[in-house]
Structures are given as C-alpha cells and as structure tokens.
Amino acid sequence: MRGVAVGVSTVLRDDPLLTCRDQLLLSKPPARVIFDSLLRTPVESRVAIDRSAPTWILTLATAPIDRRKALAKVGVQVIDVAPEAGSPASAPRLSLAAAMETLHSLGIRRLLVESGSELVGRCAARLVDQLLVFVAPKIAGAPAAPAAPAGAPEAPAMALAAALEEIHVERVGDDVLIGGFLGLEEGA
C-alpha cells in the first residue's frame, strides 16, 4: 500500500487534497497521512472531508478528545503515536520513528512525504531510504525558507553531513528535482 504524507502546517497553510493527479497510474488511491501532534487539522479541510481515499492523522494520545470525535465523524482515522523523546511538554512532537513503524503495521510500504524543511529534515535523519527534493526557482527570505532543512542531523563539517548516493537531477517544469538514496554508514 502507498501513502502520501504532510505535516499539519501544510494542511493549515495550503488546504491540500492529497490525491493522485493521474489515478490511472495506481490501482488504488494512496492513503493520506497527516503528522499532527496537537490535532490541529481543521474538520472542514479538504483532506478531512474528501472520501476518495482514506485519511489518517497521526497524533499524540494527549490530543483533545472533542477534536478526535469531530474528525472521526467526517471519516478521518485518528491514530496515536508515541512522542519524540525529549520533546518539551509545551511543544510536543511525534516520534517519526514510531510513526513510520505504525504506518508499516498499517500496510504502508511506500510513503511520499510532501513537506517543508522541518519534516524533510527530520526524515533525513535515517528514517527514509530515498530523498526526492524539488527546488523551485524562487528566492524567499528566512524564516519562510530556511537555508537548511530544520531537524536534519547536525553536521559540524561538510564531510560529516548525510550524503546522497546514486544522485540524479532533472528538470520538471520550472522546478529542479534532486534525488538520491541516503548512504548508510558502515555498521549501520
């Protein structure tokens, strides 16, 4: 089974539908996954009310019960995931490792993560095998567009940064796609 995932910030900002543009390519629509630790996804968002594919929200057990009930009423499945170790109580975060394990237990074998710099940075922390990053030919000032993915493993020197292998670059419309597999450290 396939899935397409976003963080709740993308839902709040863009109100995406998260459906496949060319359904003929897939026999079954991908499950829509939202990483939302505080259950802020609006009940009236397109991803919540559209029933063309299952919508799963991964959240924390402490998320408000009234929000759970409201989302369940429109057909959204709310799934509890463990918090990230060390995340502050004032701004709790999902453990992405636990989230990926949960998705695997639900049958997800391929997950497209459409995200901003924070989620892609956290995924790059050895939680994914392959990265496909689209770069738009636009310049935006911080904090709207941080120079590096937030949450990516910190590297004190370029030689210690996570490296992509089998890199490919292609132009897709006006954008540039940079793809590659995350190299595994020896013994990992």
Side-chain angles (χ1 to χ4, degrees), residues 8 13 24-25 51 55 63 67 105 112 129 131 143-144 166 168 170 172:
V8 68
R13 184 183 59 248
L24 297 175
L25 296 175
R51 303 254 175 127
T55 299
R67 301 279 307 138
S105 74
L112 169 66
D129 300 319
L131 285 178
E166 299 178 40
H168 66 275
E170 69 180 90
V172 180

Short mmCIF file of all heavy atoms in Angstrom, two decimals, residues 8 13 24-25 51 55 63 67 105 112 129 131 143-144 166 168 170 172:
data_model
loop_
_atom_site.label_atom_id
_atom_site.label_comp_id
_atom_site.label_asym_id
_atom_site.label_seq_id
_atom_site.Cartn_x
_atom_site.Cartn_y
_atom_site.Cartn_z
N VAL A 8 1.05 18.96 9.59
CA VAL A 8 -0.16 19.77 9.77
C VAL A 8 0.03 21.21 9.30
O VAL A 8 -0.93 21.85 8.84
CB VAL A 8 -0.65 19.73 11.24
CG1 VAL A 8 0.33 20.45 12.17
CG2 VAL A 8 -2.05 20.31 11.36
N ARG A 13 -1.77 25.71 5.96
CA ARG A 13 -1.36 26.74 5.00
C ARG A 13 -1.98 26.56 3.62
O ARG A 13 -2.45 27.51 3.00
CB ARG A 13 0.17 26.76 4.90
CG ARG A 13 0.73 27.87 4.02
CD ARG A 13 2.25 27.81 3.88
NE ARG A 13 2.70 26.54 3.34
CZ ARG A 13 3.38 25.62 4.02
NH1 ARG A 13 3.72 25.83 5.28
NH2 ARG A 13 3.75 24.49 3.47
N LEU A 24 -4.90 6.82 -13.05
CA LEU A 24 -4.69 5.67 -13.91
C LEU A 24 -3.36 4.98 -13.62
O LEU A 24 -3.17 3.81 -13.95
CB LEU A 24 -4.76 6.08 -15.38
CG LEU A 24 -6.12 6.62 -15.85
CD1 LEU A 24 -6.02 7.09 -17.29
CD2 LEU A 24 -7.20 5.56 -15.70
N LEU A 25 -2.43 5.71 -12.98
CA LEU A 25 -1.13 5.14 -12.66
C LEU A 25 -1.19 4.17 -11.48
O LEU A 25 -0.32 3.33 -11.31
CB LEU A 25 -0.11 6.24 -12.34
CG LEU A 25 0.22 7.19 -13.48
CD1 LEU A 25 1.14 8.30 -12.99
CD2 LEU A 25 0.86 6.43 -14.63
N ARG A 51 -13.70 11.86 0.62
CA ARG A 51 -13.70 10.43 0.94
C ARG A 51 -13.14 9.56 -0.18
O ARG A 51 -13.38 8.36 -0.20
CB ARG A 51 -15.13 9.98 1.28
CG ARG A 51 -15.76 10.75 2.41
CD ARG A 51 -15.82 9.92 3.66
NE ARG A 51 -16.32 10.71 4.78
CZ ARG A 51 -17.31 10.33 5.52
NH1 ARG A 51 -17.95 9.22 5.30
NH2 ARG A 51 -17.68 11.08 6.54
N THR A 55 -8.04 8.81 5.05
CA THR A 55 -7.23 9.86 5.67
C THR A 55 -6.91 9.44 7.09
O THR A 55 -7.81 9.14 7.88
CB THR A 55 -7.98 11.21 5.67
OG1 THR A 55 -8.26 11.59 4.32
CG2 THR A 55 -7.16 12.29 6.34
N ALA A 63 -3.92 14.40 22.55
CA ALA A 63 -4.70 15.29 21.67
C ALA A 63 -6.14 15.36 22.17
O ALA A 63 -6.68 14.39 22.70
CB ALA A 63 -4.66 14.78 20.24
N ARG A 67 -11.76 17.01 19.42
CA ARG A 67 -11.23 17.07 18.05
C ARG A 67 -11.22 15.68 17.43
O ARG A 67 -11.52 15.50 16.26
CB ARG A 67 -9.80 17.65 18.06
CG ARG A 67 -9.69 19.03 18.64
CD ARG A 67 -10.07 20.14 17.70
NE ARG A 67 -9.35 20.02 16.46
CZ ARG A 67 -9.92 20.21 15.26
NH1 ARG A 67 -11.16 20.56 15.15
NH2 ARG A 67 -9.19 20.09 14.17
N SER A 105 2.95 -1.03 10.07
CA SER A 105 1.99 -2.01 10.61
C SER A 105 0.62 -1.89 9.96
O SER A 105 -0.14 -2.85 9.93
CB SER A 105 1.87 -1.86 12.14
OG SER A 105 1.13 -0.70 12.47
N LEU A 112 5.23 8.86 0.17
CA LEU A 112 5.69 10.12 -0.39
C LEU A 112 5.43 11.18 0.66
O LEU A 112 4.29 11.39 1.06
CB LEU A 112 4.93 10.45 -1.68
CG LEU A 112 5.14 11.85 -2.23
CD1 LEU A 112 6.57 12.04 -2.69
CD2 LEU A 112 4.17 12.12 -3.37
N ASP A 129 14.81 5.82 2.97
CA ASP A 129 15.86 5.26 2.12
C ASP A 129 16.25 6.21 1.00
O ASP A 129 17.39 6.24 0.58
CB ASP A 129 15.37 3.96 1.47
CG ASP A 129 15.01 2.90 2.50
OD1 ASP A 129 15.73 2.77 3.48
OD2 ASP A 129 13.98 2.23 2.30
N LEU A 131 15.55 10.16 -0.95
CA LEU A 131 15.02 11.52 -0.93
C LEU A 131 14.86 12.02 -2.36
O LEU A 131 15.74 11.83 -3.19
CB LEU A 131 15.97 12.49 -0.20
CG LEU A 131 16.02 12.43 1.31
CD1 LEU A 131 17.06 13.42 1.83
CD2 LEU A 131 14.68 12.72 1.92
N PRO A 143 12.28 33.73 7.94
CA PRO A 143 12.20 32.31 8.27
C PRO A 143 11.32 31.51 7.33
O PRO A 143 11.14 30.32 7.50
CB PRO A 143 11.62 32.30 9.68
CG PRO A 143 10.72 33.49 9.69
CD PRO A 143 11.41 34.52 8.81
N ALA A 144 10.75 32.12 6.31
CA ALA A 144 9.87 31.40 5.39
C ALA A 144 10.61 30.27 4.67
O ALA A 144 10.03 29.27 4.32
CB ALA A 144 9.28 32.36 4.36
N GLU A 166 23.88 7.62 -5.64
CA GLU A 166 23.12 7.40 -6.87
C GLU A 166 22.26 8.63 -7.19
O GLU A 166 21.07 8.54 -7.43
CB GLU A 166 22.26 6.14 -6.77
CG GLU A 166 23.06 4.88 -6.54
CD GLU A 166 22.18 3.64 -6.40
OE1 GLU A 166 21.20 3.52 -7.15
OE2 GLU A 166 22.50 2.81 -5.54
N HIS A 168 20.54 11.76 -8.94
CA HIS A 168 20.07 12.15 -10.27
C HIS A 168 19.41 13.52 -10.15
O HIS A 168 18.83 13.86 -9.12
CB HIS A 168 19.13 11.11 -10.88
CG HIS A 168 17.83 10.96 -10.17
ND1 HIS A 168 17.66 10.14 -9.07
CD2 HIS A 168 16.64 11.55 -10.37
CE1 HIS A 168 16.42 10.22 -8.64
NE2 HIS A 168 15.76 11.07 -9.41
N GLU A 170 17.02 16.30 -12.47
CA GLU A 170 16.26 16.53 -13.70
C GLU A 170 15.36 17.75 -13.54
O GLU A 170 15.01 18.13 -12.43
CB GLU A 170 15.43 15.31 -14.09
CG GLU A 170 14.28 14.99 -13.17
CD GLU A 170 13.50 13.75 -13.62
OE1 GLU A 170 13.85 12.65 -13.19
OE2 GLU A 170 12.53 13.92 -14.39
N VAL A 172 11.84 19.49 -13.98
CA VAL A 172 10.42 19.13 -14.03
C VAL A 172 9.65 20.45 -14.11
O VAL A 172 9.47 21.13 -13.09
CB VAL A 172 10.00 18.31 -12.79
CG1 VAL A 172 8.52 17.95 -12.87
CG2 VAL A 172 10.86 17.07 -12.65
#
